Amino acid sequence: MAKPKRDELNQSLSSYLNTINDTLQLFEHSPPPTQDKLNWNDVLNMSDHLSRQATIVGMLWTGEPPEAKALKETMESYYNTLQGFLLLCHGSMVGAGPTLSSSIQASVKQIVDSSFKLLHGSVSLYGRGSYEKDRKPLIPQLTGAVWEACSNLKKVPTTNIKAIGRAMTQVAVSVKDVLREMEELKPASACSSPEHDDSANSDEDDDDLGDDLSPEELEVAALVAGIVSETLMVVKELIRAIASMIKMENPEDNGGFVDSFEKLLKLCQGTGEEIDELGACVYPPQELSHMKQILERIKGNISEVEVDVNGLMNSSSSEAFLGACRRLQSLIEDIKTELDTRTEAELVSNMQNVTL
């Protein structure tokens, strides 16, 4: 009798999954701006209700195995709550830009995935002879995953500017990682001495990538570290400037305001990618001409950000940021000149070697 009932439960679960997947397709498009925006607090309240529903599913398995009817009714109640949560969540996304929408969708996906793993786990355990052995590690773990997913929803940014600011903070973290790598570089002479035997050097090779820089290469690395440090300051000041405008975001905005900040984010992320590439160029063999090209792209991004910020903010809000931009742009010009000098010297040296 257990197998037919389990098959029936699987059919119900499959139907629920198909309907939920249909509902998820709503998230592929933002709600029209003319639609009434639903309150985000209502979404959070519904997620709390969903978390309690997960607890109810888990409690079915704390004693004797549940009857098929009880499991089916609990699944139906869970499905209805999940469906209501998704519709509320989508209705709250009126006016959400790409960055905020992406944050919400990622959290929603985590909730849906963990929910169906819990329901599928419950159905798969029904009627098994090895129930006692299989259920203990499985159901509490799956229930906890739903709790965690619902809890993570509370960490989702509530406005476009907050979402964009958080994404920019991730860029700052990435740039800071590159800076730390630059500061950890050492000259070859610092890690090679007569006391080091061959086996010790071999063991250290994997941990000391970049420690074999010549004095000249280390000088270039120091120049790059200066660029990375100033870029980090620019990103930090941009985040501060944007944070000062949180209260200016209007839920009734038709998108122009949000689009401007989304553009700033893309430029910021592009600059972060250029910094990653610039940091990689420090390791031998250094390509000075490629470094110059990267510096040009960074300068172009910063100039574009500077223009956009001037159009969005008053001078008092953007003064520190614009000052950081000017320092970075000036440093880029100085380092480009230095790289040109080194490139010419390298060319002369190579020509002399050919002559000899």
Side-chain angles (χ1 to χ4, degrees):
M1 288 296 293
K3 187 177 185 304
K5 289 183 178 179
R6 188 164 63 241
D7 290 343
E8 183 181 345
L9 290 171
N10 272 316
Q11 287 177 0
S12 297
L13 181 60
S14 178
S15 174
Y16 296 152
L17 179 58
N18 290 336
T19 305
I20 291 298
N21 282 333
D22 288 343
T23 305
L24 284 174
Q25 292 182 13
L26 291 173
F27 288 82
E28 295 177 2
H29 307 283
S30 297
T34 53
Q35 180 177 319
D36 289 339
K37 181 182 174 72
L38 301 183
N39 194 302
W40 181 249
N41 287 331
D42 292 337
V43 177
L44 296 181
N45 289 336
M46 185 63 85
S47 74
D48 288 339
H49 185 38
L50 192 62
S51 184
R52 290 191 292 270
Q53 287 289 321
T55 302
I56 293 172
V57 174
M59 289 178 66
L60 285 175
W61 301 95
T62 56
E64 291 298 315
E67 296 291 334
K69 180 181 178 182
L71 183 52
K72 184 175 182 180
E73 289 175 350
T74 303
M75 285 172 50
E76 182 178 4
S77 178
Y78 194 105
Y79 156 75
N80 289 333
T81 304
L82 181 59
Q83 179 79 333
F85 163 76
L86 292 177
L87 294 174
L88 264 177
C89 196
H90 184 258
S92 73
M93 292 172 61
V94 175
T99 304
L100 179 56
S101 294
S102 178
S103 297
I104 294 173
Q105 288 169 16
S107 191
V108 166
K109 185 178 186 304
Q110 184 186 12
I111 289 174
V112 171
D113 288 349
S114 61
S115 292
F116 274 98
K117 284 179 181 178
L118 173 61
L119 297 181
H120 184 268
S122 294
V123 172
S124 67
L125 282 181
Y126 178 78
R128 281 193 175 183
S130 58
Y131 155 75
E132 226 6 90
K133 174 185 175 183
D134 291 340
R135 80 178 164 93
K136 288 184 178 179
L138 178 66
I139 295 300
Q141 181 182 4
L142 296 177
T143 302
V146 176
W147 292 344
E148 182 180 0
C150 292
S151 178
N152 287 341
L153 184 70
K154 295 179 172 64
K155 302 174 185 177
V156 171
T158 54
T159 68
N160 287 291
I161 289 185
K162 287 180 181 178
I164 290 169
R166 184 176 296 183
M168 286 185 177
T169 300
Q170 293 172 351
V171 175
V173 170
S174 175
V175 173
K176 191 174 182 179
D177 287 343
V178 175
L179 180 59
R180 187 183 67 253
E181 289 181 14
M182 297 298 97
E183 292 173 342
E184 290 174 354
L185 293 173
K186 304 181 187 71
S189 58
C191 61
S192 60
S193 62
E195 290 79 9
H196 282 72
D197 58 28
D198 292 340
S199 62
N201 287 335
S202 176
D203 292 339
E204 291 174 358
D205 281 348
D206 291 340
D207 296 330
D208 293 334
L209 289 174
D211 283 356
D212 56 349
L213 268 65
S214 68
E216 294 78 12
E217 289 171 333
L218 200 63
E219 289 175 2
V220 173
L223 296 175
V224 169
I227 290 290
V228 177
S229 179
E230 287 298 330
T231 302
L232 180 59
M233 287 303 302
V234 168
V235 175
K236 285 182 175 180
E237 291 298 340
L238 179 58
I239 293 170
R240 291 191 186 100
I242 286 178
S244 69
M245 299 190 69
I246 287 178
K247 293 181 179 179
M248 294 181 61
E249 183 172 348
N250 181 4
E252 306 299 325
D253 175 65
N254 289 327
F257 182 84
V258 174
D259 290 345
S260 298
F261 283 92
E262 291 284 357
K263 180 184 176 184
L264 287 177
L265 173 60
K266 288 188 182 301
L267 289 168
C268 185
Q269 291 171 330
T271 300
E273 292 169 1
E274 298 294 351
I275 287 295
D276 284 343
E277 189 173 352
L278 185 63
C281 287
V282 165
Y283 297 96
Q286 292 180 344
E287 298 182 21
L288 303 187
S289 60
H290 187 44
M291 288 184 187
K292 272 191 62 181
Q293 293 171 1
I294 296 172
L295 290 173
E296 283 287 358
R297 293 197 293 268
I298 292 174
K299 185 182 177 185
N301 282 350
I302 297 302
S303 297
E304 197 168 347
V305 171
E306 192 175 9
V307 170
D308 290 345
V309 167
N310 268 325
L312 285 169
M313 307 176 191
N314 58 47
S315 56
S316 60
S317 300
S318 61
E319 183 177 356
F321 166 72
L322 296 176
C325 286
R326 287 191 290 270
R327 289 192 298 273
L328 175 57
Q329 290 166 332
S330 175
L331 184 60
I332 287 175
E333 288 303 314
D334 291 343
I335 292 180
K336 282 170 54 184
T337 301
E338 175 66 23
L339 292 179
D340 282 338
T341 301
R342 288 174 179 270
T343 301
E344 291 173 7
E346 186 178 293
L347 181 61
V348 170
S349 175
N350 291 337
M351 291 178 66
Q352 289 176 339
N353 290 335
V354 170
T355 303
L356 290 174

